[in-house]
Every structure is written in structure tokens, then in C-alpha cells.
Amino acid sequence: MLQALSIRDFVIVDALELEFSAGYTALTGETGAGKSILIDALSLSLGARNEGDVTRKGCDKAEIATTFDISGNQAAADWLRAQEMAVDDSLILRRVIYADGRSRAFINGVSATVGQLREIGETLIDIYSQNAHHSLLKMATQREILDAYAQAVPLAKDVAKSYKTWFQLHQQQLAYEKNASEYAEELALLRDSTRELSQLGFIAEEWLALQQEHVRLSHGASLLTGMEASLQMMSEGEEVNALDLLSQVQSKLAELQVIDAGLQPIAETVDSAVIQLEEASRALNRHLQKSELDPERLAEVESRIQTIHTAARKYRVKPDELPALLQQQQSRMAELETFADDGALAKQVQAAWQTYQQQAAALSAVRHQAAQALSETITGQMQALSLKGGRFSVSLTPGEPAAYGLEQVEFMVAGHAGVEPRPLNKVASGGELSRISLALQVTTASLGTVPCMIFDEVDVGIGGGVAEVVGRLLRELGRHRQVLVITHLAQVASQAQQHLQVSKSEQQGVTLSRIHALNVHERIEEIARMLGGLQITEATRQHAKEMLGVTA
């Protein structure tokens, strides 16, 4: 669950440290006080895209840190392990956004990408925006809601994957049937070129070795002359050589160190130099004995290099790219041979189609069962939300096979008794739509595994007794999940177990936003304000006390 939020220099917040409790928390405040800032900050800490200047005026960066208790969140723990990150009961996500638009992300103090924040964020919080009911009019959203309610999201993903596999194979089959002669010609050319490149037997490592050997062989005479001259200077010169000179120095220092003991380290160094020079001389002599001019091998190497160059020019690649070219051609040839193999591609297409059909049929069965249950549940919720006699149903219409399955999913609604349900996007008013949307969100969210839910003014368009019912629904949901609700309705806020207030003030010409937890007395005043506006009377205070269940 969400434990704490820390904000520094974000929009109109200079510094904020906020702690959250389990259960249902309401966030209220006057319009324009900055309630949406909390959602924006949380979203950015969870990897949302930064779209605008969020750094407080005059500051070089904004910082947002969120702390979560993940002791019971298996999905978050599994994700951390998969990323080879440390797993603890506490998880801290931090986002730093600079004034120039750059940003940095951290997970438990370790540098991370914004994409990683987004991935782990999906296991921590679900955010429902105030405009969520508008997306409910889209059939794709309706299908996603039904699949989530049916706990069939993994199966739906498998269906989409199988359809994609079948579609790609089907397109290959169509392309081959249309271009059979061109493919046959391409296959013949590939067979010739792969045979030629295979016979060449060239590997990338050979190219460097050939070049090095060619340099050595082509300079064989100068190498021999140079090594002989070096050996003469090192130890075999008759008149003077380095070893004789060092030996004389060695002998002289041996006499002198008897007089001056301080020369001993120098003498030891010269002794070591004599030993190393002798060893180098012997090694050079051995190498010289093995070296000889080899014009035949030089001719072989030059011929091999020329053959490789010829092949590279023919296929218009660099010599060291020939092995990769062979692999590419072999892969393409295998693909074309599959096409050319009469019936092989058709069998693959048929097998992929059968897999899709089996999975899609299983998804259809799950959807039909869930559609009935969801229809009954939402119909019941509609009665509680002052849509008496209203009816909700999920229509599953068979359609052309597609990535989403074998049927179209459409939500139908009847606003009154005796009226046939019609598509939601044609009959629902704004108020009805927001209530049905809330009922769906509460119903499907209770089945999810994400421990924290945030509702951003999803109660828009309702009031009175309906708002009280909504508050009770959210309080009930808070028994199973952590719920944070931004609301303007006293009936919704009064049901919360924790109440946070957003306020705005001006200090030295700068507008700042504040959020703090309300005590019982402050909460009475806030609920009274929400009920009565600017003029708060004893009557509205008494009403607020009744709503909060405060007797004193």
C-alpha cells in the first residue's frame, strides 16, 4: 500500500510530507486549491510522461518520492527480482524533474529508467480519472472491463498473440501464391550463392589472421636481416655488443660496492639486466632459427586473400561481412524452401488457425459466463444509485474472427423499467453514465490485485442520496483495498476513514499549496464548508456532525 508521499518544488508546492493510512481516504478542498497536483505527482513518480513545466518557478528541479509497503505484494516483489534489484518490505520510487525538462528516476536509491518506474507502478496503484466514464463509451474499453471482471486478461492476450501468429503466416501464404515464380527464381539464386559461399569456407576470424600472416611473409627478408642485426648488437657482435658492455659494468660495480655499500642495489639491478638480456638473446636466436623465407606459403596466402576479395566484390560487401551474409542467405533460403515445400506452409497456417480457434472459443465461454454475472451485479448497483427499474446487460455479438476474439462486446442499458436495453453510448445521460461507470469501477476493482486505488473526482454528476451510496461503496471497497478519493461531495468525504484537505495561500507574492490531515474538529468544519459554502452556520455544523457520526 501507499505509505508516504514527499514533494519538493513541484508546481505550487514548495515542500510536502504526507503519510497515508489503510482503508478509505478522502481528499477535499476548494476548486483551484491544487487537488490534482497530488495525482499528477503520484503519476510522475509511477513513470507517467512529463507533459509541461512542473518545476516551481525559480527552482532548478522538482523532486517526488513515494514510499510503499510491498510486504504482501507478490507482483512487485517478482518484478524486482526479475530486474535483479533488492527486495524488502519497503519500496521507494523517486523522480527528479529538472527545469529544462530532463528527468531522472530511482528505485530504492538505484538509478532506473522511466519505463521501469511505469512497469513496477502497474503493480502498485490504479488511477481512475474523472473522465474515465467517457472512455466507457468505447467498445474496446467495454471489452477490457468484461475480460478483467472474468479474470480472463491473460487468456485474451494469448488469443491476440495466436491471431497475430496466424495472420502473419496467412499473409506469407498469400504472398507466396501471388509471387510464386519470383520466389522460385530468388530461391535458385540463393542456392547458387550459398553453395559458393559455403565452399569458400570463410570465417570472420580468418581474415585478421590472413592479413597478419601476409604482412609477415611479404617482409620475410627484412625480418631475417633485422633479427640477425639485433642479435649481433645484443650478444654476438665480435667487436662490441650490449651483453659484453653490461658484463663489464657488472664486474666494475662488484669491485666498487666493497668500498661503497650503497652501490649494492644498483649492482643488483645490473645483474638482473644481464640475466634478462641473456634470456632475450637466447629467445631471439631460437626464433631466428625457426624463421625462413617461404615464397610458396606467401603465394598461397595471397591467393586466398584474392579469392575472398573477389567474393566480397561480387556480393558487394566487405570481406569480413561475408560470413554474416551467408547466414542471412541461408535463413532466407530456409524460409523460401518452406514456401516451396508443397503443403508445409499450409499446414503451419492451419495449425496456427486451430490454436487461435481453440483459445478464442475458450475466451468466448468465459465471457458469456462473466457477462451474465456482471449484468446482474451492475443492475443491482443501479438500483442503489437511484436508477430504479434500470437494467444493465452485456451483449456478445458473434463477429469476424479478430485479435480480440470471436465476438463484439457491447454494454447495453435501459434507464427505466419496461424499456429495452440499448447501447450505452446512445441512451445514457451524463449523470447515468458517471454512476454506471462508478459501479463498474468498484465492481471490477474489487477483483484486482493492485493494492491501492485512486479515484479522481469520479463522483462528478451525482449528488444527494446517490452521493451517500457512492461514499458507502467506496468505504466498503476500502475494507479490501487502500482507496484514495478526490471529491467535492460532503456525502462521499464523510464516509472516509482519513480526511486530507488541500488549501492554497499566498506568501510574499507566491502562491503555495498545502495538504494536511484533518482532526475531528477540522473535519467537521470542512464537511460543513462542503455542505454550506462560504457561510458556515451552526445548522450546517450540526449536519456535518451527523454525517460524521460525531455526537459531541
Side-chain angles (χ1 to χ4, degrees):
M1 82 172 204
L2 175 63
Q3 288 183 313
L5 171 66
S6 173
I7 301 176
R8 292 283 184 278
D9 299 323
F10 181 74
V11 191
I12 58 172
V13 175
D14 57 346
L16 173 66
E17 300 288 340
L18 200 58
E19 294 185 354
F20 297 91
S21 301
Y24 170 25
T25 298
L27 183 72
T28 65
E30 295 182 357
T31 300
K35 296 185 295 299
S36 62
I37 290 176
L38 177 68
I39 300 297
D40 293 341
L42 278 170
S43 298
L44 286 170
S45 73
L46 297 171
R49 183 177 178 180
N50 178 28
E51 297 180 346
D53 184 10
V54 298
T55 304
R56 194 166 66 91
K57 186 177 180 180
C59 301
D60 61 348
K61 64 182 179 180
E63 294 190 47
I64 307 159
T66 48
T67 304
F68 297 87
D69 177 1
I70 61 168
S71 55
N73 192 330
Q74 189 62 45
D78 289 344
W79 187 91
L80 289 169
R81 291 191 185 95
Q83 303 295 314
E84 298 183 349
M85 294 184 181
V87 180
D88 201 353
D89 289 347
S90 182
L91 171 67
I92 299 176
L93 306 182
R94 187 164 70 94
R95 184 94 177 263
V96 180
I97 302 174
Y98 297 92
D100 61 5
R102 292 178 301 114
S103 74
R104 297 185 64 192
F106 301 88
I107 299 176
N108 281 342
V110 178
S111 182
T113 66
V114 173
Q116 286 177 313
L117 284 186
R118 191 179 306 115
E119 288 176 8
I120 195 168
E122 292 175 355
T123 71
L124 302 170
I125 293 181
D126 277 337
I127 299 178
Y128 299 86
S129 71
Q130 58 182 312
N131 296 317
H133 58 274
H134 295 305
S135 66
L136 185 60
L137 299 176
K138 300 176 182 178
M139 295 181 70
T141 302
Q142 296 174 10
R143 183 175 60 250
E144 290 169 2
I145 290 174
L146 177 62
D147 288 344
Y149 181 76
Q151 298 184 345
V153 173
L155 179 56
K157 290 181 179 179
D158 289 342
V159 169
K161 184 178 179 180
S162 295
Y163 182 84
K164 181 180 179 181
T165 299
W166 167 80
F167 185 78
Q168 290 176 340
L169 288 170
H170 181 59
Q171 291 300 112
Q172 289 178 358
Q173 184 181 34
L174 293 177
Y176 177 73
E177 291 173 354
K178 181 180 178 181
N179 304 294
S181 60
E182 290 86 346
Y183 285 167
E185 183 178 347
E186 182 185 356
L187 180 58
L189 292 173
L190 283 171
R191 283 172 174 162
D192 289 340
S193 61
T194 52
R195 180 169 57 252
E196 181 179 357
L197 290 174
S198 297
Q199 290 173 349
L200 182 63
F202 176 62
I203 59 175
E205 292 79 6
E206 182 187 359
W207 186 241
L208 179 59
L210 279 172
Q211 290 177 310
Q212 291 175 341
E213 186 177 9
H214 182 263
V215 170
R216 181 176 59 81
L217 291 171
S218 60
H219 294 82
S222 59
L223 273 174
L224 290 174
T225 302
M227 286 189 289
E228 289 174 349
S230 297
L231 192 59
Q232 290 293 316
M233 289 184 287
M234 289 169 64
S235 62
E236 296 188 1
E238 295 182 358
E239 296 183 1
V240 62
N241 59 65
L243 185 58
D244 286 344
L245 291 173
L246 272 178
S247 297
Q248 293 174 26
V249 174
Q250 183 183 36
S251 177
K252 179 59 71 176
L253 287 175
E255 297 174 1
L256 294 176
Q257 67 177 323
V258 175
I259 302 171
D260 185 354
L263 293 173
Q264 183 178 353
I266 300 173
E268 291 175 351
T269 301
V270 174
D271 291 344
S272 177
V274 169
I275 294 172
Q276 292 185 22
L277 185 57
E278 289 175 340
E279 179 58 33
S281 179
R282 286 192 292 270
L284 181 58
N285 192 37
R286 288 194 298 270
H287 191 73
L288 181 59
Q289 295 300 320
K290 293 187 295 182
S291 300
E292 59 181 8
L293 295 176
D294 192 348
E296 291 183 0
R297 176 57 185 165
L298 177 59
E300 291 176 2
V301 170
E302 288 179 340
S303 175
R304 178 65 171 165
I305 291 175
Q306 183 59 41
T307 300
I308 294 169
H309 270 300
T310 300
R313 284 193 299 271
K314 179 178 180 179
Y315 296 106
R316 298 181 180 179
V317 296
K318 296 178 181 178
D320 56 359
E321 294 175 351
L322 285 171
L325 175 64
L326 175 60
Q327 290 183 347
Q328 293 171 9
Q329 291 188 347
Q330 287 173 333
S331 176
R332 176 60 175 166
M333 189 169 66
E335 182 181 350
L336 292 177
E337 285 175 340
T338 300
F339 295 163
D341 183 4
D342 185 28
L345 180 58
K347 290 178 182 177
Q348 290 184 32
V349 173
Q350 182 62 27
W353 179 249
Q354 289 177 352
T355 299
Y356 165 76
Q357 287 279 10
Q358 292 171 358
Q359 293 178 341
L363 179 60
S364 295
V366 174
R367 281 174 173 169
H368 277 85
Q369 185 176 359
Q372 181 64 32
L374 183 60
S375 299
E376 295 174 358
T377 299
I378 302 304
T379 296
Q381 296 276 26
M382 288 172 65
Q383 315 311 307
L385 292 170
S386 293
L387 293 171
K388 299 290 185 181
R391 187 154 54 96
F392 178 89
S393 65
V394 181
S395 171
L396 300 178
T397 306
E400 291 294 322
Y404 54 76
L406 301 175
E407 57 277 314
Q408 292 278 4
V409 178
E410 189 170 25
F411 289 170
M412 315 286 284
V413 65
H416 310 283
V419 178
E420 277 298 311
R422 295 178 59 199
L424 185 64
N425 60 359
K426 295 183 179 180
V427 297
S429 65
E432 290 173 335
L433 188 60
S434 63
R435 279 177 272 179
I436 294 171
S437 174
L438 183 62
L440 283 164
Q441 289 166 4
V442 172
T443 299
T444 56
S446 62
L447 299 171
T449 58
V450 178
C452 179
M453 302 170 56
I454 297 178
F455 292 92
D456 182 11
E457 297 185 11
V458 293
D459 50 14
V460 64
I462 63 175
V466 178
E468 185 175 349
V469 173
V470 169
R472 291 175 183 172
L473 285 174
L474 293 169
R475 185 181 181 91
E476 177 64 23
L477 186 58
R479 293 176 56 188
H480 310 285
R481 312 268 293 281
Q482 184 185 30
V483 179
L484 177 63
V485 178
I486 295 176
T487 181
H488 287 289
L489 300 177
Q491 297 92 330
V492 174
S494 64
Q495 298 289 332
Q497 294 148 323
Q498 182 187 26
H499 195 149
L500 305 176
Q501 183 191 46
V502 183
S503 60
K504 187 168 63 174
S505 62
E506 187 172 314
Q507 298 180 13
Q508 298 178 347
V510 178
T511 300
L512 297 175
S513 182
R514 294 280 187 270
I515 304 176
H516 74 283
L518 302 181
N519 58 33
V520 175
H521 175 72
E522 291 170 331
R523 194 173 183 194
I524 292 172
E525 291 297 307
E526 176 65 1
I527 295 295
R529 180 197 65 78
M530 298 172 74
L531 287 168
L534 295 177
Q535 297 298 324
I536 300 176
T537 66
E538 285 303 316
T540 54
R541 287 192 179 93
Q542 185 60 38
H543 189 187
K545 290 180 181 180
E546 292 175 0
M547 293 178 70
L548 292 169
V550 177
T551 57

